[in-house]
């Protein structure tokens, strides 16, 4: 986030190609919200989107389980992959409950998300707070240089300020920046990727783009694959206009793929096959 404009998020929204991504996402979301199933069975679509989104986010964090296995299991206290799946499911369920707090205190929400993700699996004194100097970070997917604790604290405050001050930027842009910044900072000792993707979902819901939470971007991130995810994220880290636009477009494509997933769910419900 290198721009110093009065509304830096809106400035990102004006980058070449971003407007097209925003328009494409808006049209895709409008189509699935217009599906006839949404008029009477939207709660079922929301529940299925939450499950599939959790499965997708966990896959990016190294626990790539079959959807039906995620649906079937009730105990996630086993190995590391089971813990990741359980954390993703808890976050998916929690995201929609935090909208009012997000608008008042994004940092409180991030702390809550980490607490929910950790679920007792991390030391109590390291849960729900940004890491301190010298504390390790367990985030094997992201190999970018790790900002020190002072930089993390400053940039988290900056991110919170951007959100609280309001922006004219489209929801996709804000969600992509929140996601990218949290991945870059890795502010917690664990589960940073899961928290970043849950925060992206909160922005998409709270902005009004996806108020019923039926467009799981996590599905799209997983479907595009880890290599594409990391390549786009590298664009965010570079901070150049082209790199930022590439990351935002990648996040937009993830939302569109999430829309496609939920459209298939709608079709299955219409056929009575879900």
């Amino acid at each position: 986030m290198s721009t110093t404009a009065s509304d830096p998020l809106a400035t990102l929204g004006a980058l070449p190609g971003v407007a097209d991504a925003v328009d494409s996402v808006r049209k895709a979301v409008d189509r699935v919200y217009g599906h006839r199933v949404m008029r009477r069975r939207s709660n079922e679509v929301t529940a299925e989107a939450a499950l599939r989104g959790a499965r997708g986010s966990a896959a990016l964090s190294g626990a790539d389980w079959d959807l039906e296995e995620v649906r079937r299991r009730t105990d996630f206290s086993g190995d590391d992959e089971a813990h990741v799946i359980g954390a993703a499911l808890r976050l998916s369920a929690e995201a929609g409950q935090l909208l009012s707090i997000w608008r008042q205190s994004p940092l409180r929400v991030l702390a809550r998300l980490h607490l929910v993700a950790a679920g007792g699996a991390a030391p109590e004194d390291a849960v729900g707070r940004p890491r301190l100097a010298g504390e390790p970070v367990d985030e094997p997917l992201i190999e970018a240089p790790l900002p020190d604790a002072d930089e993390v604290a400053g940039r988290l405050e900056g991110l919170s300020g951007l959100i609280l001050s309001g922006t004219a930027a489209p929801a996709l842009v804000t969600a992509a920046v929140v996601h990218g910044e949290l991945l870059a900072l890795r502010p917690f000792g664990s589960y940073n990727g899961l928290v970043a993707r849950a925060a992206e979902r909160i922005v998409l819901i709270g902005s009004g783009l996806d108020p019923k939470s039926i467009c799981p971007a996590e599905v799209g991130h997983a479907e595009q694959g880890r290599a594409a995810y990391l390549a786009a994220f590298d664009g965010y880290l570079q901070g150049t206009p082209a790199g930022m636009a590439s990351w935002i477009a990648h996040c937009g494509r993830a939302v569109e793929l999430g829309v496609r997933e939920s459209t298939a769910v709608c079709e299955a419900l219409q056929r009575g096959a879900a």
Side-chain angles (χ1 to χ4, degrees):
M1 292 187 302
S2 58
T3 179
T4 58
S6 58
D7 188 350
L9 295 177
T11 301
L12 293 176
L15 291 174
V18 171
D20 289 341
V22 168
D23 184 58
S24 183
V25 166
R26 176 77 267 177
K27 288 177 179 176
V29 172
D30 286 347
R31 282 195 298 272
V32 71
Y33 269 84
H35 197 287
R36 65 177 62 186
V37 165
M38 287 296 297
R39 291 196 291 271
R40 59 189 185 278
R41 303 182 71 177
S42 64
N43 288 344
E44 294 172 71
V45 182
T46 296
E48 190 64 19
L51 179 71
R52 296 181 185 217
R55 184 261 159 205
S57 190
L60 281 175
S61 286
D64 192 359
W65 288 18
D66 181 80
L67 178 64
E68 293 311 312
E69 176 65 9
V70 177
R71 193 192 306 279
R72 181 188 67 81
R73 286 280 287 269
T74 57
D75 180 7
F76 298 97
S77 62
D79 58 17
D80 288 345
E81 287 194 5
H83 281 292
V84 170
I85 295 286
L89 288 168
R90 291 191 297 272
L91 286 173
S92 193
E94 186 81 3
Q97 311 302 315
L98 298 172
L99 299 178
S100 61
I101 304 174
W102 177 261
R103 299 184 184 105
Q104 300 170 9
S105 180
L107 298 185
R108 280 181 58 199
V109 169
L110 294 177
R112 173 63 183 171
L113 290 175
H114 186 245
L115 180 67
V116 168
E124 186 174 341
D125 64 350
V127 171
R129 63 156 176 80
R131 54 187 167 82
L132 304 177
E135 289 185 330
V137 174
D138 179 16
E139 196 64 46
L141 177 65
I142 307 299
E143 298 179 353
L146 193 67
D148 65 31
D150 288 340
E151 182 178 352
V152 168
R155 286 172 64 175
L156 282 176
E157 288 292 343
L159 181 64
S160 176
L162 282 178
I163 294 165
L164 292 174
S165 64
T167 177
L172 172 64
V173 172
T174 304
V177 168
V178 167
H179 183 170
E181 190 71 351
L182 292 174
L183 278 186
L185 295 178
R186 283 147 287 163
F188 304 109
S190 58
Y191 299 113
N192 288 286
L194 295 180
V195 168
R197 291 183 287 275
E200 178 186 50
R201 171 172 283 217
I202 287 172
V203 174
L204 294 172
I205 299 169
S207 67
L209 177 66
D210 181 23
K212 293 183 182 293
S213 191
I214 62 167
C215 306
E218 305 97 320
V219 168
H221 287 303
E223 187 168 334
Q224 292 177 90
R226 287 191 187 186
Y229 185 71
L230 292 175
F233 175 56
D234 186 61
Y236 182 89
L237 290 175
Q238 291 173 15
T240 63
M244 295 298 290
S246 176
W247 171 248
I248 294 166
H250 182 86
C251 291
R253 180 58 178 158
V255 176
E256 291 185 67
L257 290 169
V259 166
R260 187 176 72 179
E261 187 86 354
S262 286
T263 299
V265 170
C266 288
E267 295 294 329
L269 288 170
Q270 186 168 282
R271 295 191 305 269

